[in-house]
């Protein structure tokens, strides 16, 4: 999950139980669930509702190793986070599928507000097999190969590895 699990303006007390149920369902479906906070999430204390077993990304670039995957991520620290972090992201791990997870506006043309700004070129320079982005509410592909794109609100991607090639496609349930 790449952020904005909760809206800073439209929520009720019931929203917190819905967030808990969302993550619990993720833990039923997947061996590993990772949450990278977005700019809306920083307004809420989600620590009490995120179930045990969900890996929560920190605000500094780091790597989470899961099986043959290396997930490189950093969470938003404040709303409209102005930090430029991509150059600090870890190098790809050899013999792993390297996936970047980031809640970012990139250069801002698809967003109302900047958040962890960077460029497509900076993301490509990391050398990862794909980047899955949050923040922009539409599903937009910035680069087809290696894939760099926003998931969009209410959407999900299935990331598959065949013969070393990473394929990103819409998850259809």
């Amino acid at each position: 999950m790449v952020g904005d699990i909760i809206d800073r303006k439209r929520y009720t007390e019931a929203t917190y139980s819905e967030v808990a149920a969302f993550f619990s369902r993720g833990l039923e479906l997947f061996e590993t669930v990772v949450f990278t906070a977005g700019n809306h999430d920083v307004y809420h204390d989600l620590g009490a509702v995120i179930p045990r077993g969900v890996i929560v990304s920190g605000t500094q670039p780091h790597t989470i190793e899961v099986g043959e995957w290396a997930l490189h991520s950093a969470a938003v620290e404040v709303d409209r986070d102005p930090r430029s972090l991509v150059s600090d992201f870890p190098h790809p791990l050899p013999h792993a599928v390297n996936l970047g997870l980031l809640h970012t506006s990139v250069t801002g043309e698809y967003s109302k507000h900047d958040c962890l700004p960077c460029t497509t070129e900076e993301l490509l320079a990391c050398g990862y097999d794909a980047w899955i982005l949050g923040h922009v509410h539409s599903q937009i592909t910035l680069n087809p190969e290696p894939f760099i794109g926003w998931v969009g609100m209410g959407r999900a991607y299935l990331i598959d590895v065949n013969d070393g090639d990473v394929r990103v496609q819409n998850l259809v349930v």
Side-chain angles (χ1 to χ4, degrees):
M1 174 58 194
V2 285
D4 289 353
I5 187 73
I6 194 167
D7 193 308
R8 70 172 169 245
K9 295 179 182 174
R10 286 176 252 163
Y11 69 95
T12 66
E13 285 305 312
T15 304
Y16 293 102
S17 62
E18 292 166 355
V19 168
F22 171 79
F23 281 117
S24 293
R25 180 67 176 141
L27 289 168
E28 291 172 14
L29 295 172
F30 305 104
E31 290 179 31
T32 305
V33 176
V34 176
F35 173 57
T36 301
N39 60 304
H40 289 259
D41 305 314
V42 299
Y43 287 95
H44 306 280
D45 180 10
L46 298 177
V49 298
I50 296 177
R52 185 181 182 127
V54 173
I55 299 170
V56 179
S57 291
T59 57
Q60 296 303 311
H62 62 282
T63 300
I64 302 162
E65 293 184 57
V66 180
E68 66 183 45
W69 295 83
L71 309 174
H72 308 282
S73 185
V76 169
E77 192 171 61
V78 296
D79 191 18
R80 300 183 189 177
D81 196 329
R83 298 176 300 155
S84 177
L85 294 179
V86 174
S87 62
D88 296 330
F89 264 67
H91 294 289
L93 296 183
H95 311 296
V97 178
N98 290 273
L99 178 63
L101 304 170
L102 190 61
H103 192 88
T104 178
S105 60
V106 183
T107 54
E109 64 267 30
Y110 299 106
S111 175
K112 293 180 185 176
H113 303 292
D114 281 349
C115 189
L116 295 178
C118 60
T119 65
T120 303
E121 291 75 23
E122 288 174 308
L123 296 172
L124 287 168
C126 288
Y128 297 166
D129 296 296
W131 279 93
I132 304 299
L133 309 176
H135 186 68
V136 173
H137 297 183
S138 300
Q139 199 172 50
I140 298 171
T141 299
L142 294 176
N143 198 73
E145 197 173 307
F147 181 85
I148 300 173
W150 286 287
V151 177
M153 297 302 287
R155 304 296 298 264
Y157 282 133
L158 176 64
I159 303 167
D160 188 27
V161 180
N162 286 324
D163 298 326
D165 291 328
V166 175
R167 202 176 61 212
V168 179
Q169 60 192 22
N170 285 321
L171 177 64
V172 180
V173 285

